[in-house]
Amino acid sequence: MSTSQPETPPTVDIRARNRNRTMLVAIGVLFFGSMLIAGALRFSGWQPEGRKNHGELLQPPTDLRELVPQTAEGGAYAWNPGERTWRIMLAPPDACGSECERLAHDLDTVWRLFGKDADRVHVLWVCDSNDCMPPPDAQVPRTLKVIQGAGQWRERIPGLADPAGVPVYVIDPHGFVVLRYAPGFDAGGLRADLAKLLKLM
């Protein structure tokens, strides 16, 4: 009768075990490290270049729905959200001179670059006298509307009366002011932001 020998436990490859543990730790560090970095970027306000606005996002947006703009011709300018019209709005001071000329040129260029969507973009030039109008020979967008009552616009919109110059704003189809562009803004940035908004709505 043969005596059974106790089974020899399998040998453990210490190096393989350590390698597997190291790999698990590395995967954990990679996973949680990525989450930590993403969280830090999110709370610092960073956004990928393609998603970043060129203008300042107004939070909360300024609600102009109860404001009934009056045109220089004496009629009311309706918001009409169903038409999905976006607005570029500015309110130059009296005697803005060369700045009005530059703004008229820049906004006309931006408007023309929208091509088939240009008629969905109105330019609201808020001005109560000829002193804040663009020069008579300036080329302006076909959809430009001269709006009166600059005082009530300045009361409602933050930063409209800026000592540094003339800011420009974007108003959505419902009558909310959503973006602000500081005096001396890059017209290409305004066009890029508005082009994205036109695709969304």
Side-chain angles (χ1 to χ4, degrees):
M1 182 176 179
S2 61
T3 57
S4 59
Q5 297 292 328
E7 291 185 9
T8 305
T11 58
V12 177
D13 188 338
I14 303 296
R15 284 183 298 178
R17 184 179 64 185
N18 290 343
R19 189 166 52 245
N20 290 341
R21 283 181 179 170
T22 303
M23 192 175 297
L24 280 173
V25 169
I27 291 171
V29 168
L30 193 63
F31 177 74
F32 290 108
S34 300
M35 288 180 60
L36 187 64
I37 291 170
L41 291 173
R42 166 72 178 86
F43 289 109
S44 70
W46 180 87
Q47 289 183 336
E49 196 62 37
R51 294 185 57 194
K52 195 180 294 183
N53 297 320
H54 296 273
E56 173 194 352
L57 185 65
L58 298 182
Q59 293 180 321
T62 302
D63 187 352
L64 297 181
R65 289 175 298 174
E66 293 183 2
L67 177 67
V68 182
Q70 298 296 313
T71 66
E73 291 79 22
Y77 177 85
W79 294 117
N80 289 336
E83 294 181 2
R84 300 186 304 157
T85 302
W86 290 82
R87 286 93 179 175
I88 299 171
M89 190 280 294
L90 66 161
D94 287 344
C96 68
S98 60
E99 189 169 15
C100 275
E101 186 174 0
R102 179 187 62 79
L103 284 165
H105 173 270
D106 288 352
L107 294 180
D108 182 63
T109 302
V110 167
W111 181 81
R112 289 176 184 278
L113 288 172
F114 289 129
K116 63 181 178 61
D117 290 323
D119 286 337
R120 288 182 53 211
V121 179
H122 289 181
V123 176
L124 305 185
W125 194 289
V126 181
C127 173
D128 292 326
S129 72
N130 289 332
D131 292 337
C132 51
M133 289 293 294
D137 58 346
Q139 195 164 17
V140 297
R142 187 175 66 246
T143 60
L144 184 140
K145 315 288 182 187
V146 178
I147 303 294
Q148 296 190 325
Q152 59 183 340
W153 290 77
R154 291 191 176 100
E155 288 173 6
R156 287 173 166 82
I157 300 176
L160 188 56
D162 192 325
V166 181
V168 168
Y169 295 79
V170 170
I171 304 175
D172 78 5
H174 298 276
F176 288 93
V177 187
V178 292
L179 289 169
R180 180 183 190 269
Y181 297 82
F185 68 95
D186 174 21
L190 169 63
R191 180 192 172 276
D193 286 348
L194 203 42
K196 286 188 285 188
L197 293 170
L198 285 166
K199 290 178 183 176
L200 291 174
M201 188 182 292

